[in-house]
Amino acid sequence: MERTDVVVVGAGQAGLSSAYHLRRLGLEHVVLDANPAPGGAWQHRWPTLRMATVHGIFGLPGMDFTPPDPSRRANEAVPAYFAAYEQRMGLEVRRPVTVSAVRDLGSELLVETDDGSVRTRALVNATGTWTRPFWPSYPGRETFRGRQLHAAQYRGPDELAGHRVVVVGGGSTAVQLLPEIATVAETLWVTRREPRFREDEFTPEIGREVVSRVEDRVRRGLPPESVVSVTGLVRTPEVAAAEAAGVLERHPVFDRITPDGVAWSDGRTWDADVILWCTGWRSALDHLAPLRLRGPGGGIRMDGTRVAADPRIHLVGYGPSASTVGANRAGRVAAAELRELLGSTARSTA
């Protein structure tokens, strides 16, 4: 059976950053990725997402990200950059390989996959959230005769043309999709809370405050908050235009789902053909379940990128590092801590 010092699970921004720094520090490692090609979750984004509306893309360590044509599809531009990065940095990623479970063998961890198992002394988990779309539960949902889809399944407005569409969710995904869907369909936007748009500039000080707040939650073993719940929504020119056109008129979320649409407790109803759930994602950590890392609060208690209960395991792209710039830093921190943990007994890649 294969043995290594570190297994990196996931080859998105956080995973590639981790692999880069592990390589620089001379730690033997294996990178496993469930996707069929480079690009992480970006290769699965809806085709109407253009680079003009993508914010906060930072280059991976050692290779700048040159902004492409604003009209280029994000699900092409970002994966192309990731592929070029893997090649230039000499990062070997095994794909598609799906990790089914990670087990504690005492002195080692056993990483079980659909392509065999690997024994490792440490693990960097960088699986993100894209494969864990969150579907909230509402009374009557199973009775709805129309179509229900999550934003992760959305492939553009054409598939919704001529329909009546309920868009559920108060985050940036709903705000991005509503304007384009409204050009071909009748829409109703519902959220649990009144959306909060930022009127002030998002300064570095505010960014540090956001990171500190999320860090505090994961340090206490609580599930991470969504970024938008902390920062508020950005009022871009596209958002302002949609507001002016009446597309972003928000309504309180319904109380139940009926066979023909949605209904509120005061007797109001709205007939619908489609319910689009823009309700976010959860961390894809099911394969870590055998390690019993979750605490009573429902989350995993963290110390930086390190799992507090087991210093061999680092979660990157989780909690405060769930952003492109945060993922870069997390990869560097995780690699440095594992170099210190494994010390002189680590196998060298040199």
Side-chain angles (χ1 to χ4, degrees), residues 99-104 109-112 123 125 127 132 283-295 298-300 307 310 313 315:
V99 174
S100 56
V102 179
R103 305 185 189 279
D104 190 352
L109 298 166
L110 179 67
V111 180
E112 298 177 352
L123 181 86
N125 193 83
T127 45
R132 282 289 309 279
S283 297
L285 302 175
D286 289 353
H287 56 289
L288 301 182
L291 300 177
R292 301 181 181 276
L293 301 176
R294 292 193 185 276
I300 298 174
V307 173
D310 192 334
I313 303 170
L315 307 185

Coordinates of all heavy atoms in Angstrom, one line a residue, residues 99-104 109-112 123 125 127 132 283-295 298-300 307 310 313 315:
V99 N -12.5 10.5 -2.6 CA -12.1 10.0 -1.3 C -13.5 9.7 -0.6 O -14.3 10.5 -0.5 CB -11.4 11.1 -0.5 CG1 -11.2 10.6 1.0 CG2 -10.0 11.3 -1.1
S100 N -13.6 8.5 -0.2 CA -14.8 8.0 0.5 C -14.7 8.1 2.0 O -15.8 8.3 2.7 CB -15.2 6.6 0.1 OG -14.1 5.7 0.4
A101 N -13.5 7.9 2.6 CA -13.4 7.9 4.0 C -12.0 8.1 4.4 O -11.0 7.7 3.7 CB -14.0 6.6 4.6
V102 N -11.8 8.8 5.6 CA -10.5 8.9 6.2 C -10.6 8.3 7.6 O -11.4 8.7 8.4 CB -10.0 10.4 6.3 CG1 -8.6 10.4 7.0 CG2 -10.0 11.0 4.9
R103 N -9.7 7.3 7.9 CA -9.7 6.6 9.2 C -8.4 6.8 10.0 O -7.4 6.9 9.4 CB -10.1 5.1 8.9 CG -11.3 4.9 8.1 CD -11.7 3.5 8.0 NE -12.8 3.3 7.0 CZ -14.1 3.5 7.3 NH1 -14.4 3.9 8.5 NH2 -15.0 3.3 6.3
D104 N -8.6 6.8 11.3 CA -7.4 6.9 12.1 C -6.8 5.5 12.5 O -7.5 4.7 13.1 CB -7.8 7.6 13.4 CG -6.7 8.0 14.3 OD1 -5.5 7.6 14.0 OD2 -6.9 8.7 15.3
L109 N -3.0 7.9 9.1 CA -4.3 8.0 8.7 C -4.5 7.1 7.4 O -3.6 7.1 6.6 CB -4.7 9.4 8.4 CG -4.6 10.4 9.5 CD1 -4.7 11.9 9.0 CD2 -5.7 10.2 10.5
L110 N -5.6 6.5 7.2 CA -5.9 5.7 6.0 C -6.9 6.5 5.2 O -8.0 6.8 5.6 CB -6.5 4.4 6.4 CG -6.8 3.5 5.2 CD1 -5.6 3.1 4.5 CD2 -7.6 2.2 5.7
V111 N -6.5 6.9 4.0 CA -7.4 7.6 3.1 C -7.9 6.6 2.0 O -7.2 6.1 1.2 CB -6.6 8.7 2.4 CG1 -7.5 9.5 1.4 CG2 -6.0 9.7 3.4
E112 N -9.2 6.3 2.1 CA -9.8 5.3 1.2 C -10.4 6.1 0.0 O -11.2 7.1 0.2 CB -10.9 4.6 2.0 CG -10.4 3.8 3.2 CD -11.5 3.0 3.9 OE1 -12.7 3.3 3.6 OE2 -11.1 2.2 4.8
L123 N -3.0 15.1 6.8 CA -4.0 15.3 5.8 C -4.3 16.8 5.7 O -4.5 17.5 6.7 CB -5.3 14.6 6.2 CG -6.4 14.7 5.2 CD1 -6.3 13.7 4.1 CD2 -7.8 14.5 5.9
N125 N -7.2 18.9 4.0 CA -8.5 18.8 3.4 C -8.9 20.1 2.7 O -9.0 21.2 3.4 CB -9.6 18.4 4.4 CG -10.9 18.0 3.7 OD1 -11.0 16.8 3.2 ND2 -11.8 18.9 3.5
T127 N -11.7 20.4 0.2 CA -12.8 20.0 -0.6 C -13.9 21.0 -0.8 O -14.8 20.8 -1.6 CB -13.4 18.7 0.0 OG1 -13.6 18.9 1.4 CG2 -12.5 17.5 -0.2
R132 N -21.8 20.1 -1.9 CA -22.8 20.0 -0.8 C -23.8 21.1 -0.8 O -23.9 21.9 0.1 CB -22.1 20.0 0.6 CG -21.4 18.7 1.0 CD -22.4 17.6 1.4 NE -23.4 18.1 2.3 CZ -23.2 18.2 3.6 NH1 -22.0 17.8 4.2 NH2 -24.1 18.6 4.4
S283 N -19.9 22.8 4.0 CA -18.6 22.2 3.8 C -18.7 20.7 3.5 O -19.4 20.0 4.1 CB -17.8 22.4 5.1 OG -17.6 23.8 5.3
A284 N -18.0 20.3 2.5 CA -18.0 18.9 2.0 C -17.0 18.1 2.9 O -15.8 17.9 2.5 CB -17.6 18.8 0.5
L285 N -17.5 17.6 4.0 CA -16.6 16.9 5.0 C -17.1 15.6 5.4 O -16.6 15.0 6.3 CB -16.4 17.8 6.2 CG -15.9 19.2 6.0 CD1 -16.0 20.0 7.4 CD2 -14.5 19.2 5.5
D286 N -18.0 15.0 4.6 CA -18.6 13.7 5.0 C -17.5 12.6 5.1 O -17.6 11.7 5.9 CB -19.7 13.3 4.0 CG -20.9 14.1 4.1 OD1 -21.0 14.9 5.0 OD2 -21.8 14.0 3.3
H287 N -16.5 12.7 4.2 CA -15.5 11.6 4.2 C -14.6 11.7 5.5 O -13.9 10.7 5.8 CB -14.6 11.8 3.0 CG -13.9 13.2 2.9 ND1 -14.7 14.3 2.6 CD2 -12.7 13.6 3.1 CE1 -13.9 15.3 2.5 NE2 -12.7 14.9 2.9
L288 N -14.7 12.7 6.3 CA -14.0 12.8 7.6 C -14.8 12.3 8.7 O -14.3 12.3 9.9 CB -13.6 14.3 7.8 CG -12.7 15.0 6.8 CD1 -12.3 16.4 7.2 CD2 -11.4 14.1 6.5
A289 N -16.0 11.9 8.5 CA -16.9 11.4 9.6 C -16.3 10.4 10.4 O -16.5 10.4 11.7 CB -18.3 11.0 9.0
P290 N -15.6 9.4 9.9 CA -15.0 8.3 10.8 C -14.1 8.9 11.8 O -13.8 8.2 12.8 CB -14.3 7.4 9.8 CG -15.0 7.6 8.5 CD -15.4 9.1 8.5
L291 N -13.6 10.1 11.6 CA -12.6 10.7 12.6 C -13.3 11.4 13.8 O -12.7 11.7 14.7 CB -11.7 11.7 11.9 CG -10.9 11.2 10.7 CD1 -10.1 12.3 10.1 CD2 -9.9 10.1 11.2
R292 N -14.6 11.5 13.7 CA -15.4 12.1 14.7 C -14.9 13.5 15.2 O -14.6 13.7 16.4 CB -15.5 11.1 15.9 CG -16.2 9.8 15.6 CD -16.3 8.9 16.8 NE -16.8 7.6 16.5 CZ -18.1 7.3 16.4 NH1 -19.0 8.3 16.6 NH2 -18.6 6.1 16.0
L293 N -14.7 14.4 14.2 CA -14.1 15.7 14.5 C -15.2 16.7 15.0 O -14.8 17.7 15.6 CB -13.4 16.2 13.3 CG -12.3 15.3 12.7 CD1 -11.7 15.9 11.4 CD2 -11.2 15.1 13.8
R294 N -16.4 16.5 14.6 CA -17.5 17.5 14.9 C -17.8 17.5 16.4 O -17.9 16.4 17.1 CB -18.7 17.3 14.1 CG -18.6 17.5 12.7 CD -19.9 17.6 12.0 NE -19.8 17.7 10.5 CZ -19.6 18.9 9.9 NH1 -19.6 20.0 10.6 NH2 -19.5 18.9 8.6
G295 N -18.0 18.7 17.0 CA -18.3 18.8 18.4 C -19.8 19.0 18.6 O -20.6 19.0 17.7
G298 N -21.9 21.4 16.4 CA -22.1 21.1 15.0 C -21.0 21.4 14.0 O -21.0 21.0 12.9
G299 N -20.0 22.1 14.5 CA -18.8 22.4 13.7 C -17.6 21.7 14.2 O -17.7 20.8 15.1
I300 N -16.5 22.0 13.6 CA -15.2 21.4 14.0 C -14.4 22.5 14.7 O -14.1 23.5 14.1 CB -14.5 20.8 12.8 CG1 -15.3 19.7 12.2 CG2 -13.1 20.3 13.2 CD1 -14.7 19.2 10.8
V307 N -7.1 21.3 12.9 CA -8.1 20.8 13.7 C -7.6 20.7 15.2 O -6.6 20.1 15.4 CB -8.6 19.4 13.2 CG1 -9.6 18.8 14.2 CG2 -9.2 19.5 11.9
D310 N -6.8 17.3 16.6 CA -5.8 16.4 15.9 C -4.9 17.3 15.0 O -5.3 17.6 13.9 CB -6.6 15.4 15.0 CG -5.7 14.3 14.5 OD1 -4.4 14.5 14.4 OD2 -6.2 13.1 14.3
I313 N -4.4 17.0 11.0 CA -5.4 17.3 10.0 C -5.6 18.8 9.9 O -5.8 19.5 10.9 CB -6.7 16.6 10.4 CG1 -6.5 15.1 10.5 CG2 -7.8 17.0 9.4 CD1 -7.7 14.4 11.1
L315 N -7.7 21.9 7.7 CA -8.8 22.2 6.8 C -8.5 23.6 6.2 O -8.5 24.6 6.9 CB -10.2 22.3 7.6 CG -10.6 21.1 8.5 CD1 -12.0 21.3 9.0 CD2 -10.5 19.8 7.7

